[in-house]
Amino acid sequence: MRYFSIIFVLCLTLSMVQAQQTSFVNPFIGTSDDHGQTDPSATIPFGMIKPGPETIPRGNGGYDYQSQQLKGFSQTRMSGVGCIGVGGNLLITPFVGTACKTLKMDKASETAIPGYYSVTLDNQLKVEITTGRTAAIYRFTYPATETAGIKINFKHSYGKHIAEEHSIIGDNAVKGFVRSACTCDLGSYKFYYYIEKDKSTYKPEDNDSELLWKFQTEPNEQIILKIGLSSVSAEEAEANLKKECSNQSFEQIRTNARIAWENLLGQIQVETSDEDLKTSFYTRLYHACQTPFTINDYSGSYKGSDGKVYSQQLPYYHGWSIWDTYRTKYPLLSIVCPTEYKHMISSLAELYKQGKPRSATKTEPFLTTRTEHSIITILDALQKGMFDGSLDELLPLMLKEAEDISNDSPDKALERGYDFWGVSELAGKMGNKELKKEFSLRSKEYRPIWLQKFKDIGPTSDIMHGDGLYEGTIWQYRWFVPHDFDWVIATLGSKKKVLSELDYFFENNLFNMGNQPDIHVPFLYYYLGAPWKTQKLVRQILLEPTTNYYGTHEKWEKPYIGKIFNTTPQGYLKEMDDDAGTMSSWFVLSSIGLFPVCPGIPYYWINAPIFDTVTLHPTSQQEFKIHVNRPDAECIYIQKAILNGKVLNRSWLSYNEIMQGGDLTLELGKLPNKHWGHNTDFIKSLLKK
């Protein structure tokens, strides 16, 4: 496809200038024992194929850093998602001797960098993997043996295996499809593949959804295996493979993958003497850019969630986890990679036309999870000038979705109110005053439930799943009214009263950074005219040991006291899924001092960055630079802000101000400046429009 060729040339050019960031990425961060559920697979930004190791036992991405045993290497996964993960298809197992033997890794040899994974096994067999967008290439280096081989398991999957078909082509190729259940076994996906290797072989053995290639090898003999994927057909999978791998060596493909990552990661440059902090930052930016997947074939074809074949030359994205990602990830991507972000939003709009449900259909073209709050996601893009589609066609489909939003638990009532507000705002953009008014009123239907369940805090307010809440407590969901927070303030009595209750919430460790429902709450002090409280609190969450009591489903008897974000395989809190880059995006946005006010409103709170300098490259022509004047490490509070040479007394920036480029200087001090950023009237006016 012409688009991807252009992107490659741009990547090559920019990488000559920005060739440092990948050295700070450690893909093993968050891969150990339910501390993030990330994986070290070889991948390119938003690539469809993600080949990587399958350990025994495994995490949700197929891998647990603590394990030394391997089943093999699968080709698909979705980073950081819950239940038991999704993907794990087409398990490739190279072997020496018997094909049934469990593989053991030499952990000291294991390497993972952006676009490349390698490990040597105890039988002296070395495995290297690199990848393009739709195709991967394996390089196996064998010892001298008469009993070498490669096994392919077509049934392997994290979720329920549903179906597979394969056809052997000569002695060295196989093609077919696999179908498996999506996350939490909701819905299913089906994709096609084409696999070929370069070593002459005995006739392959085909036995009950497993294929064995057996051969002899000389000392250090290298065998190349290539795999192409497609959502449309095995023929398209073969064409994709040939496009990406036929005329390039393993090393060339590896270099291309590195260049793609250098280009993307270089969109944000941070300066600090703390290299561990840079590793944390760039690894989390790397995690944020794993999904959604670009699933077009190079011919342009792709399947929709309705099972129909479509075609377009611009990238089509799939693989959503929007209940998580709309909060932080898409507001981040709108700055970091606006071109890709715009295509993602366009793809999400197309999903509505395909009959978008809240979770996966039974005819998904590839891995996916859930799509609640797509209304807010598209509204946010529209407000930023990043959606060019027709609202005339889209809004009726959104209205249908809004009417079907569940209201059977207190948290869902709050979330429905937010989506209804989104519909109201979209109707206003269309000039439909009647519909805007109707859904503005409906966005407040949650209020009686809030008064009944959330206004008065009692002894049952700290129970996980209390009153049927999803992965949270009354305390944590209480603050999830981003579109109507002024009403909450008025209902509780005053800003002073809300400040007191927020202080109690954090001082008594009722906050849960390990899950999404309250991750915006540290920034609510901005609404209350006390941004200095956020500046202190967010720095603590980013950098310092804190007391944490909550897992995904229960409150622990004994808290974990320590840092939330680490640069070890235990990179996150216990039970804290990265959730398709949501938590990584929270870290990135908070650390550079820009956090979305309320998705659907195109503004970002200005926080104190933890770096000395932050340089954003929102476009190839523009640069937005944040200078941090911090006399010493104890200076954490914003004293003064200067935007493009003029004093800035407000505590937010618009999306357009960032994207147009400029210079923001922040003067920090040891004591709070309680006058800077205390006026929130502008945000009130935005919410009341």
Side-chain angles (χ1 to χ4, degrees):
M1 295 171 67
R2 187 173 64 88
Y3 172 84
F4 296 110
S5 299
I6 293 170
I7 288 296
F8 171 73
V9 172
L10 289 174
C11 289
L12 185 62
T13 303
L14 288 171
S15 71
M16 296 176 184
V17 179
Q18 304 163 353
Q20 303 296 322
Q21 283 72 31
T22 54
S23 65
F24 290 103
V25 175
N26 178 0
F28 292 117
I29 291 174
T31 62
S32 178
D33 188 30
D34 202 7
H35 286 266
Q37 301 292 359
T38 60
D39 61 82
S41 61
T43 179
I44 69 166
F46 313 114
M48 183 179 185
I49 193 167
K50 297 188 183 296
E54 291 287 329
T55 62
I56 305 171
R58 69 170 184 87
N60 289 3
Y63 178 88
D64 188 330
Y65 185 83
Q66 297 182 92
S67 176
Q68 294 185 9
Q69 291 186 312
L70 276 178
K71 288 193 291 185
F73 304 87
S74 66
Q75 318 314 311
T76 60
R77 66 203 77 240
M78 196 167 180
S79 179
V81 297
C83 289
I84 59 172
V86 60
N89 306 109
L90 299 175
L91 184 70
I92 306 293
T93 306
F95 62 88
V96 173
T98 174
C100 300
K101 184 180 178 181
T102 300
L103 306 177
K104 187 174 181 180
M105 294 186 285
D106 173 8
K107 290 294 288 186
S109 74
E110 192 176 28
T111 301
I113 60 176
Y116 175 80
Y117 174 86
S118 176
V119 68
T120 299
L121 309 178
D122 64 348
N123 57 14
Q124 302 306 305
L125 196 162
K126 183 178 180 180
V127 180
E128 297 175 275
I129 316 172
T130 192
T131 184
R133 182 178 64 82
T134 63
I137 181 169
Y138 285 75
R139 183 165 66 190
F140 301 115
T141 304
Y142 283 84
T145 178
E146 295 183 356
T147 55
I150 297 171
K151 179 174 69 173
I152 306 176
N153 182 333
F154 301 106
K155 285 187 175 181
H156 191 267
S157 174
Y158 302 151
K160 179 182 177 183
H161 168 73
I162 298 173
E164 71 89 9
E165 287 184 8
H166 63 274
S167 301
I168 298 172
I169 305 164
D171 289 339
N172 292 316
V174 62
K175 66 179 181 179
F177 74 80
V178 294
R179 185 179 172 210
S180 302
C182 289
T183 315
C184 306
D185 282 347
L186 296 173
S188 64
Y189 60 91
K190 176 183 178 181
F191 69 88
Y192 298 82
Y193 62 87
Y194 181 87
I195 305 173
E196 66 179 24
K197 66 177 183 59
D198 67 348
K199 169 76 174 179
S200 60
T201 184
Y202 304 110
K203 186 174 180 62
E205 299 176 15
D206 189 7
N207 182 29
D208 188 27
S209 297
E210 284 190 349
L211 179 72
L212 261 69
W213 276 312
K214 294 181 179 179
F215 40 83
Q216 299 175 357
T217 52
E218 301 295 326
N220 297 316
E221 183 172 353
Q222 292 185 337
I223 309 298
I224 298 295
L225 183 79
K226 301 175 182 178
I227 304 175
L229 305 185
S230 168
S231 67
V232 174
S233 70
E235 290 69 31
E236 289 282 9
E238 180 181 6
N240 291 340
L241 184 151
K242 293 187 184 305
K243 179 71 174 180
E244 292 187 354
C245 297
S246 286
N247 298 315
Q248 297 187 83
S249 68
F250 183 96
E251 293 302 335
Q252 287 173 320
I253 295 169
R254 178 181 174 180
T255 298
N256 294 346
R258 180 189 62 80
I259 288 171
W261 279 114
E262 289 289 2
N263 179 48
L264 180 56
L265 298 175
Q267 296 302 104
I268 306 181
Q269 294 171 296
V270 296
E271 296 178 21
T272 175
S273 60
D274 187 340
E275 293 203 352
D276 191 65
L277 185 55
K278 288 184 80 171
T279 294
S280 187
F281 178 84
Y282 282 110
T283 301
R284 298 184 205 283
L285 180 56
Y286 168 83
H287 283 154
C289 298
Q290 301 292 313
T291 56
F293 313 107
T294 322
I295 69 166
N296 309 63
D297 298 320
Y298 278 87
S299 67
S301 63
Y302 64 92
K303 272 191 182 175
S305 293
D306 55 4
K308 298 178 181 178
V309 177
Y310 298 87
S311 182
Q312 63 180 41
Q313 288 304 305
L314 293 176
Y316 179 79
Y317 288 86
H318 186 78
W320 309 104
S321 186
I322 297 177
W323 184 86
D324 311 281
T325 53
Y326 85 95
R327 307 163 196 263
T328 57
K329 176 169 171 170
Y330 289 104
L332 172 64
L333 297 184
S334 70
I335 296 173
V336 173
C337 47
T339 300
E340 290 84 351
Y341 167 78
K342 193 170 184 178
H343 295 314
M344 291 172 193
I345 298 302
S346 176
S347 301
L348 190 56
E350 288 299 313
L351 193 62
Y352 273 97
K353 302 171 188 178
Q354 299 165 15
K356 182 189 87 65
R358 63 179 295 275
S359 58
T361 70
K362 294 182 180 180
T363 54
E364 295 294 345
F366 206 59
L367 288 56
T368 194
T369 299
R370 54 196 305 184
T371 62
E372 301 101 319
H373 301 306
S374 297
I375 291 170
I376 298 297
T377 306
I378 290 177
L379 170 64
D380 199 50
L382 182 69
Q383 298 276 39
K384 293 172 177 176
M386 298 297 284
F387 175 62
D388 297 331
S390 169
L391 284 181
D392 289 335
E393 184 177 12
L394 198 58
L395 191 59
L397 301 174
M398 289 181 167
L399 287 174
K400 182 179 183 300
E401 179 186 37
E403 294 293 350
D404 292 337
I405 295 174
S406 173
N407 193 32
D408 58 3
S409 64
D411 56 314
K412 290 179 182 177
L414 304 187
E415 294 196 27
R416 186 174 75 157
Y418 189 18
D419 276 347
F420 282 177
W421 171 80
V423 171
S424 175
E425 293 297 300
L426 288 166
K429 289 289 183 181
M430 292 180 63
N432 190 330
K433 295 181 180 179
E434 184 176 337
L435 192 63
K436 176 178 171 61
K437 181 178 180 181
E438 176 189 349
F439 274 86
S440 177
L441 291 172
R442 295 191 66 182
S443 73
K444 301 174 179 61
E445 290 175 352
Y446 78 92
R447 288 179 176 181
I449 296 171
W450 195 94
L451 291 170
Q452 179 186 1
K453 297 292 184 180
F454 297 98
K455 182 176 184 293
D456 297 318
I457 293 298
T460 63
S461 299
D462 190 30
I463 299 174
M464 291 291 286
H465 298 290
D467 287 289
L469 301 177
Y470 178 70
E471 296 182 356
T473 67
I474 289 290
W475 260 115
Q476 290 156 14
Y477 270 104
R478 186 187 199 211
W479 313 105
F480 189 76
V481 195
H483 67 291
D484 201 21
F485 196 61
D486 278 346
W487 177 83
V488 172
I489 295 170
T491 301
L492 290 177
S494 66
K495 286 185 179 181
K496 184 178 180 180
K497 179 71 162 53
V498 179
L499 278 168
S500 175
E501 297 200 11
L502 265 184
D503 288 344
Y504 181 90
F505 178 70
F506 287 108
E507 289 167 2
N508 288 274
N509 306 308
L510 297 163
F511 170 65
N512 182 12
M513 188 62 224
N515 215 337
Q516 283 75 41
D518 62 347
I519 60 173
H520 66 294
V521 179
F523 289 88
L524 291 184
Y525 286 113
Y526 276 77
Y527 282 97
L528 302 168
W532 62 272
K533 287 180 175 282
T534 291
Q535 292 156 26
K536 179 181 179 180
L537 178 60
V538 168
R539 185 177 181 84
Q540 290 174 337
I541 294 170
L542 288 169
L543 299 177
E544 300 173 13
T546 58
T547 301
N548 303 272
Y549 274 97
Y550 301 94
T552 300
H553 297 290
E554 62 182 0
K555 184 176 183 179
W556 304 318
E557 289 186 12
K558 294 182 179 180
Y560 162 77
I561 301 175
K563 289 179 64 177
I564 294 173
F565 298 96
N566 296 287
T567 53
T568 65
Q570 293 183 328
Y572 300 79
L573 283 176
K574 178 74 172 178
E575 298 183 34
M576 179 177 173
D577 297 343
D578 193 34
D579 281 320
T582 302
M583 298 311 200
S584 287
S585 298
W586 190 97
F587 182 94
V588 171
L589 287 165
S590 299
S591 69
I592 65 174
L594 297 171
F595 196 86
V597 168
C598 167
I601 298 177
Y603 289 81
Y604 294 75
W605 296 122
I606 303 170
N607 194 38
I610 59 177
F611 301 104
D612 301 326
T613 305
V614 177
T615 305
L616 305 173
H617 301 275
T619 69
S620 58
Q621 292 81 32
Q622 303 296 341
E623 176 180 283
F624 187 85
K625 197 157 194 172
I626 305 173
H627 303 272
V628 182
N629 292 335
R630 182 186 291 107
D632 62 52
E634 295 180 4
C635 295
I636 64 172
Y637 299 105
I638 296 175
Q639 306 294 305
K640 184 179 181 181
I642 301 171
L643 179 64
N644 299 327
K646 297 181 180 179
V647 173
L648 186 71
N649 291 317
R650 54 182 163 91
S651 57
W652 56 84
L653 291 173
S654 72
Y655 177 76
N656 286 336
E657 284 175 318
I658 298 168
M659 300 303 285
Q660 288 169 4
D663 192 285
L664 176 67
T665 298
L666 299 175
E667 305 279 353
L668 303 188
K670 293 182 180 180
L671 299 176
N673 178 354
K674 297 184 180 180
H675 297 288
W676 182 83
H678 71 282
N679 187 339
T680 61
D681 290 341
F682 178 61
I683 296 300
K684 290 181 184 179
S685 69
L686 285 173
L687 288 167
K688 291 178 179 178
K689 278 185 180 179

